[in-house]
mmCIF file of all heavy atoms in Angstrom:
data_model
loop_
_atom_site.group_PDB
_atom_site.id
_atom_site.type_symbol
_atom_site.label_atom_id
_atom_site.label_comp_id
_atom_site.label_asym_id
_atom_site.label_seq_id
_atom_site.Cartn_x
_atom_site.Cartn_y
_atom_site.Cartn_z
ATOM 1 N N PHE P 30 -35.037 76.742 -20.636
ATOM 2 C CA PHE P 30 -35.254 75.359 -20.248
ATOM 3 C C PHE P 30 -34.078 75.060 -19.346
ATOM 4 O O PHE P 30 -32.941 75.014 -19.810
ATOM 5 C CB PHE P 30 -35.266 74.404 -21.448
ATOM 6 C CG PHE P 30 -36.551 74.449 -22.219
ATOM 7 C CD1 PHE P 30 -36.551 74.724 -23.567
ATOM 8 C CD2 PHE P 30 -37.755 74.216 -21.577
ATOM 9 C CE1 PHE P 30 -37.734 74.774 -24.280
ATOM 10 C CE2 PHE P 30 -38.937 74.257 -22.285
ATOM 11 C CZ PHE P 30 -38.926 74.546 -23.626
ATOM 12 N N GLN P 98 -24.255 65.471 -31.121
ATOM 13 C CA GLN P 98 -23.825 66.764 -31.651
ATOM 14 C C GLN P 98 -23.601 67.728 -30.491
ATOM 15 O O GLN P 98 -24.101 67.520 -29.391
ATOM 16 C CB GLN P 98 -24.897 67.346 -32.590
ATOM 17 C CG GLN P 98 -25.298 66.436 -33.742
ATOM 18 C CD GLN P 98 -24.195 66.217 -34.754
ATOM 19 O OE1 GLN P 98 -23.341 67.074 -34.950
ATOM 20 N NE2 GLN P 98 -24.187 65.051 -35.390
ATOM 21 N N ASN P 99 -22.891 68.800 -30.817
ATOM 22 C CA ASN P 99 -22.589 69.802 -29.796
ATOM 23 C C ASN P 99 -23.747 70.754 -29.545
ATOM 24 O O ASN P 99 -23.587 71.965 -29.666
ATOM 25 C CB ASN P 99 -21.386 70.619 -30.241
ATOM 26 C CG ASN P 99 -20.138 70.158 -29.534
ATOM 27 O OD1 ASN P 99 -20.197 69.772 -28.368
ATOM 28 N ND2 ASN P 99 -19.031 70.199 -30.243
ATOM 29 N N GLY P 100 -24.901 70.223 -29.260
ATOM 30 C CA GLY P 100 -26.047 71.091 -28.971
ATOM 31 C C GLY P 100 -27.084 71.090 -30.074
ATOM 32 O O GLY P 100 -26.826 70.643 -31.204
ATOM 33 N N GLY P 101 -28.271 71.568 -29.724
ATOM 34 C CA GLY P 101 -29.394 71.589 -30.655
ATOM 35 C C GLY P 101 -29.128 72.491 -31.852
ATOM 36 O O GLY P 101 -29.530 72.176 -32.979
ATOM 37 N N SER P 102 -28.447 73.601 -31.625
ATOM 38 C CA SER P 102 -28.181 74.532 -32.728
ATOM 39 C C SER P 102 -27.306 73.866 -33.783
ATOM 40 O O SER P 102 -27.515 74.048 -34.981
ATOM 41 C CB SER P 102 -27.495 75.793 -32.213
ATOM 42 O OG SER P 102 -28.277 76.383 -31.212
ATOM 43 N N ASP P 103 -26.343 73.073 -33.332
ATOM 44 C CA ASP P 103 -25.493 72.341 -34.275
ATOM 45 C C ASP P 103 -26.312 71.308 -35.038
ATOM 46 O O ASP P 103 -26.078 71.066 -36.228
ATOM 47 C CB ASP P 103 -24.359 71.614 -33.542
ATOM 48 C CG ASP P 103 -23.256 72.561 -33.125
ATOM 49 O OD1 ASP P 103 -23.583 73.711 -32.766
ATOM 50 O OD2 ASP P 103 -22.082 72.150 -33.145
ATOM 51 N N ALA P 104 -27.270 70.699 -34.339
ATOM 52 C CA ALA P 104 -28.123 69.704 -34.998
ATOM 53 C C ALA P 104 -28.956 70.380 -36.087
ATOM 54 O O ALA P 104 -29.129 69.837 -37.185
ATOM 55 C CB ALA P 104 -29.030 69.031 -33.975
ATOM 56 N N MET P 105 -29.443 71.573 -35.797
ATOM 57 C CA MET P 105 -30.252 72.302 -36.780
ATOM 58 C C MET P 105 -29.401 72.657 -37.995
ATOM 59 O O MET P 105 -29.821 72.518 -39.129
ATOM 60 C CB MET P 105 -30.799 73.576 -36.131
ATOM 61 C CG MET P 105 -32.286 73.696 -36.107
ATOM 62 S SD MET P 105 -33.076 72.308 -35.329
ATOM 63 C CE MET P 105 -32.725 72.683 -33.635
ATOM 64 N N GLU P 146 -42.787 80.226 -34.720
ATOM 65 C CA GLU P 146 -42.496 79.818 -33.344
ATOM 66 C C GLU P 146 -41.267 78.903 -33.246
ATOM 67 O O GLU P 146 -40.939 78.421 -32.160
ATOM 68 C CB GLU P 146 -43.712 79.087 -32.742
ATOM 69 C CG GLU P 146 -44.871 80.007 -32.409
ATOM 70 C CD GLU P 146 -44.497 81.018 -31.317
ATOM 71 O OE1 GLU P 146 -43.977 80.613 -30.281
ATOM 72 O OE2 GLU P 146 -44.729 82.219 -31.535
ATOM 73 N N ALA P 147 -40.592 78.666 -34.389
ATOM 74 C CA ALA P 147 -39.415 77.781 -34.360
ATOM 75 C C ALA P 147 -38.301 78.442 -33.546
ATOM 76 O O ALA P 147 -38.285 79.660 -33.354
ATOM 77 C CB ALA P 147 -38.939 77.486 -35.773
ATOM 78 N N HIS P 148 -37.368 77.623 -33.118
ATOM 79 C CA HIS P 148 -36.271 78.122 -32.285
ATOM 80 C C HIS P 148 -35.343 79.051 -33.092
ATOM 81 O O HIS P 148 -35.199 78.896 -34.296
ATOM 82 C CB HIS P 148 -35.464 76.919 -31.772
ATOM 83 C CG HIS P 148 -34.451 77.276 -30.738
ATOM 84 N ND1 HIS P 148 -33.121 77.465 -31.039
ATOM 85 C CD2 HIS P 148 -34.579 77.511 -29.417
ATOM 86 C CE1 HIS P 148 -32.459 77.774 -29.922
ATOM 87 N NE2 HIS P 148 -33.332 77.805 -28.929
ATOM 88 N N SER P 149 -34.707 79.968 -32.394
ATOM 89 C CA SER P 149 -33.816 80.932 -33.056
ATOM 90 C C SER P 149 -32.685 80.241 -33.820
ATOM 91 O O SER P 149 -32.150 80.794 -34.782
ATOM 92 C CB SER P 149 -33.229 81.887 -32.022
ATOM 93 O OG SER P 149 -32.471 81.152 -31.078
ATOM 94 N N SER P 150 -32.333 79.018 -33.411
ATOM 95 C CA SER P 150 -31.218 78.335 -34.079
ATOM 96 C C SER P 150 -31.548 77.983 -35.529
ATOM 97 O O SER P 150 -30.642 77.804 -36.341
ATOM 98 C CB SER P 150 -30.837 77.071 -33.310
ATOM 99 O OG SER P 150 -31.954 76.232 -33.144
ATOM 100 N N VAL P 151 -32.837 77.889 -35.857
ATOM 101 C CA VAL P 151 -33.212 77.605 -37.247
ATOM 102 C C VAL P 151 -32.870 78.841 -38.103
ATOM 103 O O VAL P 151 -32.271 78.734 -39.176
ATOM 104 C CB VAL P 151 -34.713 77.255 -37.367
ATOM 105 C CG1 VAL P 151 -35.090 76.977 -38.817
ATOM 106 C CG2 VAL P 151 -35.054 76.053 -36.503
ATOM 107 N N THR P 198 -41.274 71.779 -35.325
ATOM 108 C CA THR P 198 -40.906 71.780 -33.911
ATOM 109 C C THR P 198 -41.945 71.015 -33.101
ATOM 110 O O THR P 198 -43.135 71.325 -33.164
ATOM 111 C CB THR P 198 -40.783 73.217 -33.370
ATOM 112 O OG1 THR P 198 -40.059 73.994 -34.319
ATOM 113 C CG2 THR P 198 -40.070 73.244 -32.030
ATOM 114 N N LEU P 199 -41.483 70.017 -32.365
ATOM 115 C CA LEU P 199 -42.384 69.301 -31.454
ATOM 116 C C LEU P 199 -41.952 69.700 -30.040
ATOM 117 O O LEU P 199 -40.989 69.164 -29.495
ATOM 118 C CB LEU P 199 -42.312 67.793 -31.691
ATOM 119 C CG LEU P 199 -42.763 67.348 -33.096
ATOM 120 C CD1 LEU P 199 -42.728 65.838 -33.235
ATOM 121 C CD2 LEU P 199 -44.160 67.867 -33.429
ATOM 122 N N GLY P 200 -42.634 70.689 -29.501
ATOM 123 C CA GLY P 200 -42.264 71.276 -28.210
ATOM 124 C C GLY P 200 -41.490 72.567 -28.442
ATOM 125 O O GLY P 200 -40.262 72.567 -28.381
ATOM 126 N N THR P 201 -42.207 73.651 -28.726
ATOM 127 C CA THR P 201 -41.503 74.912 -29.032
ATOM 128 C C THR P 201 -40.929 75.525 -27.754
ATOM 129 O O THR P 201 -41.376 75.233 -26.651
ATOM 130 C CB THR P 201 -42.442 75.954 -29.682
ATOM 131 O OG1 THR P 201 -43.485 76.270 -28.752
ATOM 132 C CG2 THR P 201 -43.035 75.442 -30.975
ATOM 133 N N THR P 202 -39.948 76.385 -27.961
ATOM 134 C CA THR P 202 -39.256 76.974 -26.824
ATOM 135 C C THR P 202 -40.140 77.988 -26.094
ATOM 136 O O THR P 202 -40.137 78.047 -24.866
ATOM 137 C CB THR P 202 -37.951 77.637 -27.302
ATOM 138 O OG1 THR P 202 -37.242 76.651 -28.040
ATOM 139 C CG2 THR P 202 -37.104 78.111 -26.151
ATOM 140 N N SER P 203 -40.906 78.777 -26.842
ATOM 141 C CA SER P 203 -41.713 79.808 -26.176
ATOM 142 C C SER P 203 -42.834 79.210 -25.339
ATOM 143 O O SER P 203 -43.019 79.596 -24.185
ATOM 144 C CB SER P 203 -42.320 80.764 -27.201
ATOM 145 O OG SER P 203 -41.302 81.475 -27.841
ATOM 146 N N ASP P 227 -37.421 69.137 -34.888
ATOM 147 C CA ASP P 227 -36.712 69.686 -33.736
ATOM 148 C C ASP P 227 -37.505 69.315 -32.481
ATOM 149 O O ASP P 227 -38.485 69.963 -32.142
ATOM 150 C CB ASP P 227 -36.591 71.215 -33.887
ATOM 151 C CG ASP P 227 -35.950 71.858 -32.662
ATOM 152 O OD1 ASP P 227 -35.469 71.126 -31.780
ATOM 153 O OD2 ASP P 227 -35.933 73.112 -32.605
ATOM 154 N N ALA P 228 -37.051 68.226 -31.852
ATOM 155 C CA ALA P 228 -37.700 67.799 -30.608
ATOM 156 C C ALA P 228 -36.708 68.008 -29.466
ATOM 157 O O ALA P 228 -36.633 67.214 -28.530
ATOM 158 C CB ALA P 228 -38.136 66.350 -30.704
ATOM 159 N N SER P 229 -35.934 69.084 -29.593
ATOM 160 C CA SER P 229 -34.864 69.384 -28.624
ATOM 161 C C SER P 229 -35.378 69.254 -27.205
ATOM 162 O O SER P 229 -34.763 68.622 -26.353
ATOM 163 C CB SER P 229 -34.364 70.818 -28.822
ATOM 164 O OG SER P 229 -33.675 70.928 -30.031
ATOM 165 N N TYR P 230 -36.531 69.861 -26.969
ATOM 166 C CA TYR P 230 -37.135 69.834 -25.629
ATOM 167 C C TYR P 230 -38.180 68.718 -25.530
ATOM 168 O O TYR P 230 -38.057 67.797 -24.710
ATOM 169 C CB TYR P 230 -37.736 71.209 -25.337
ATOM 170 C CG TYR P 230 -38.798 71.211 -24.272
ATOM 171 C CD1 TYR P 230 -38.486 70.903 -22.950
ATOM 172 C CD2 TYR P 230 -40.122 71.517 -24.583
ATOM 173 C CE1 TYR P 230 -39.468 70.907 -21.964
ATOM 174 C CE2 TYR P 230 -41.099 71.520 -23.610
ATOM 175 C CZ TYR P 230 -40.777 71.208 -22.302
ATOM 176 O OH TYR P 230 -41.748 71.205 -21.344
ATOM 177 N N GLY P 231 -39.184 68.774 -26.417
ATOM 178 C CA GLY P 231 -40.345 67.881 -26.302
ATOM 179 C C GLY P 231 -39.988 66.412 -26.336
ATOM 180 O O GLY P 231 -40.623 65.592 -25.665
ATOM 181 N N ASN P 254 -33.826 65.609 -33.869
ATOM 182 C CA ASN P 254 -32.859 65.771 -32.772
ATOM 183 C C ASN P 254 -33.572 65.954 -31.447
ATOM 184 O O ASN P 254 -34.663 66.510 -31.378
ATOM 185 C CB ASN P 254 -31.898 66.930 -33.027
ATOM 186 C CG ASN P 254 -32.507 68.271 -32.699
ATOM 187 O OD1 ASN P 254 -33.315 68.801 -33.460
ATOM 188 N ND2 ASN P 254 -32.152 68.831 -31.563
ATOM 189 N N ASN P 256 -32.484 67.033 -27.305
ATOM 190 C CA ASN P 256 -31.423 67.510 -26.397
ATOM 191 C C ASN P 256 -31.602 66.912 -25.013
ATOM 192 O O ASN P 256 -32.512 67.295 -24.290
ATOM 193 C CB ASN P 256 -31.502 69.032 -26.222
ATOM 194 C CG ASN P 256 -31.128 69.792 -27.477
ATOM 195 O OD1 ASN P 256 -30.721 69.209 -28.457
ATOM 196 N ND2 ASN P 256 -31.249 71.096 -27.413
ATOM 197 N N HIS P 258 -29.867 67.574 -22.662
ATOM 198 C CA HIS P 258 -29.548 68.605 -21.646
ATOM 199 C C HIS P 258 -30.757 69.497 -21.349
ATOM 200 O O HIS P 258 -30.640 70.476 -20.638
ATOM 201 C CB HIS P 258 -28.337 69.437 -22.065
ATOM 202 C CG HIS P 258 -28.447 70.102 -23.404
ATOM 203 N ND1 HIS P 258 -28.043 69.499 -24.572
ATOM 204 C CD2 HIS P 258 -28.910 71.307 -23.766
ATOM 205 C CE1 HIS P 258 -28.255 70.319 -25.585
ATOM 206 N NE2 HIS P 258 -28.778 71.419 -25.123
ATOM 207 N N LYS P 259 -31.921 69.145 -21.894
ATOM 208 C CA LYS P 259 -33.119 69.889 -21.514
ATOM 209 C C LYS P 259 -33.727 69.273 -20.245
ATOM 210 O O LYS P 259 -33.752 69.901 -19.225
ATOM 211 C CB LYS P 259 -34.123 69.925 -22.667
ATOM 212 C CG LYS P 259 -33.661 70.798 -23.846
ATOM 213 C CD LYS P 259 -33.687 72.284 -23.528
ATOM 214 C CE LYS P 259 -32.830 73.153 -24.404
ATOM 215 N NZ LYS P 259 -33.377 73.529 -25.672
ATOM 216 N N VAL P 265 -25.163 70.404 -20.446
ATOM 217 C CA VAL P 265 -25.008 70.762 -21.842
ATOM 218 C C VAL P 265 -23.588 70.401 -22.319
ATOM 219 O O VAL P 265 -22.644 70.552 -21.529
ATOM 220 C CB VAL P 265 -25.312 72.280 -22.001
ATOM 221 C CG1 VAL P 265 -24.300 73.139 -21.237
ATOM 222 C CG2 VAL P 265 -25.431 72.683 -23.430
ATOM 223 N N PRO P 266 -23.346 69.893 -23.536
ATOM 224 C CA PRO P 266 -24.344 69.558 -24.529
ATOM 225 C C PRO P 266 -24.632 68.057 -24.528
ATOM 226 O O PRO P 266 -23.738 67.250 -24.339
ATOM 227 C CB PRO P 266 -23.643 69.955 -25.832
ATOM 228 C CG PRO P 266 -22.190 69.681 -25.578
ATOM 229 C CD PRO P 266 -21.967 69.831 -24.092
ATOM 230 N N GLY P 267 -25.877 67.706 -24.768
ATOM 231 C CA GLY P 267 -26.220 66.283 -24.833
ATOM 232 C C GLY P 267 -27.229 66.063 -25.945
ATOM 233 O O GLY P 267 -28.318 65.554 -25.705
ATOM 234 N N THR P 268 -26.855 66.454 -27.171
ATOM 235 C CA THR P 268 -27.801 66.378 -28.281
ATOM 236 C C THR P 268 -27.604 65.109 -29.101
ATOM 237 O O THR P 268 -26.486 64.784 -29.500
ATOM 238 C CB THR P 268 -27.644 67.610 -29.194
ATOM 239 O OG1 THR P 268 -27.979 68.762 -28.430
ATOM 240 C CG2 THR P 268 -28.544 67.536 -30.412
ATOM 241 N N ARG P 408 -42.637 82.621 -18.909
ATOM 242 C CA ARG P 408 -42.384 81.174 -19.047
ATOM 243 C C ARG P 408 -41.844 80.640 -17.735
ATOM 244 O O ARG P 408 -40.933 81.230 -17.160
ATOM 245 C CB ARG P 408 -41.332 80.911 -20.120
ATOM 246 C CG ARG P 408 -41.738 81.124 -21.546
ATOM 247 C CD ARG P 408 -40.520 80.975 -22.450
ATOM 248 N NE ARG P 408 -40.083 79.606 -22.662
ATOM 249 C CZ ARG P 408 -39.161 78.992 -21.960
ATOM 250 N NH1 ARG P 408 -38.561 79.588 -20.969
ATOM 251 N NH2 ARG P 408 -38.817 77.744 -22.249
HETATM 252 C C1 LIG N 1 -32.997 74.555 -26.639
HETATM 253 C C2 LIG N 1 -33.602 74.419 -27.967
HETATM 254 C C3 LIG N 1 -32.811 74.443 -29.118
HETATM 255 C C4 LIG N 1 -31.338 74.762 -29.107
HETATM 256 O O1 LIG N 1 -30.553 73.884 -28.438
HETATM 257 P P1 LIG N 1 -29.076 74.308 -27.977
HETATM 258 O O2 LIG N 1 -28.490 73.057 -27.473
HETATM 259 O O3 LIG N 1 -29.259 75.346 -26.909
HETATM 260 O O4 LIG N 1 -28.360 74.869 -29.144
HETATM 261 C C5 LIG N 1 -33.442 74.231 -30.334
HETATM 262 N N1 LIG N 1 -34.764 74.018 -30.408
HETATM 263 C C6 LIG N 1 -35.557 73.998 -29.324
HETATM 264 C C7 LIG N 1 -37.029 73.739 -29.474
HETATM 265 C C8 LIG N 1 -35.006 74.200 -28.059
HETATM 266 O O5 LIG N 1 -35.803 74.205 -26.985
#
Side-chain angles (χ1 to χ4, degrees):
F30 283 124
Q98 304 293 331
N99 259 325
S102 304
D103 283 36
M105 239 55 75
E146 287 296 310
H148 189 262
S149 61
S150 55
V151 179
T198 315
L199 297 183
T201 62
T202 307
S203 295
D227 176 8
S229 291
Y230 159 66
N254 80 283
N256 291 355
H258 56 270
K259 290 289 160 82
V265 64
T268 297
R408 288 173 75 266

